[in-house]
Structure formats: structure tokens, C-alpha cells
Amino acid sequence: MSASEGQALIGTLMQGTVTAVFPWGIVVDLGDSRVGLIDVLYVDDDDDYQVGQQISAYLTDINEKAEYRLRPPQQVPVVDRLRAAGHDV
């Protein structure tokens, strides 16, 4: 997949399988040799991600290393969460 094709996917809801749960985030197998990460900023204390769990998440970014960054559907973007908490971002 070319960089422009990858960027065209930003904002789409992707399906994957949780492959690892770490204090810093959730690793998700998106298939086709693609691995995504849900940053810990999008994980609430009461979230219970389990290895093998099928999940859906929005693709928010693909960085220069072709790493896929994901956001769970129930979470708003971090910048919106900070603004709602009164931070000037």
C-alpha cells in the first residue's frame, strides 16, 4: 500500500484482533501484515481489553514507520477531551 493509499484510510473504522495489552497501549492485528496501536490515552480504567478479542477502532494516523494509530469508537479525540477538561490546546 502506498503512503497516499494509507492516508486515504484515515478516519475509517477498522476491524482487528487484540494481540497484546500493555500499560502503554493495546496492540491490534489489522490483517494483511498491518499492526495498530490504541494509545493508553484512549483506554479508560474500566476498559477490559483481552488478547484474542475482536475490536473495531477508527484509524487516526499512519506515521512514517507505517504504524497504524487507532481510537476506539466510544472515545473522542484526545484534543477534544483536553478542551472539555478546560485545557487550552
Side-chain angles (χ1 to χ4, degrees):
M1 175 184 312
S2 72
S4 61
E5 290 172 328
Q7 292 301 316
L9 292 175
I10 301 295
T12 61
L13 189 62
M14 305 194 77
Q15 310 299 316
T17 304
V18 174
T19 58
V21 178
F22 296 103
W24 44 264
I26 311 302
V27 179
V28 180
D29 179 359
L30 300 170
D32 296 329
S33 299
R34 298 176 299 179
V35 175
L37 173 70
I38 298 175
D39 192 282
V40 71
L41 292 172
Y42 290 121
V43 179
D44 289 330
D45 291 339
D46 58 345
D47 287 341
D48 185 30
Y49 288 97
Q50 300 291 323
V51 172
Q53 178 182 0
Q54 298 294 311
I55 65 161
S56 299
Y58 288 105
L59 180 61
T60 60
D61 186 43
I62 302 173
N63 68 15
E64 63 280 348
K65 296 179 184 177
E67 297 169 330
Y68 289 66
R69 302 293 185 203
L70 304 169
R71 174 181 57 83
Q74 71 274 15
Q75 287 288 9
V76 296
V78 173
V79 69
D80 293 343
R81 292 171 75 183
L82 292 172
R83 284 183 184 135
H87 298 281
D88 185 26
V89 289

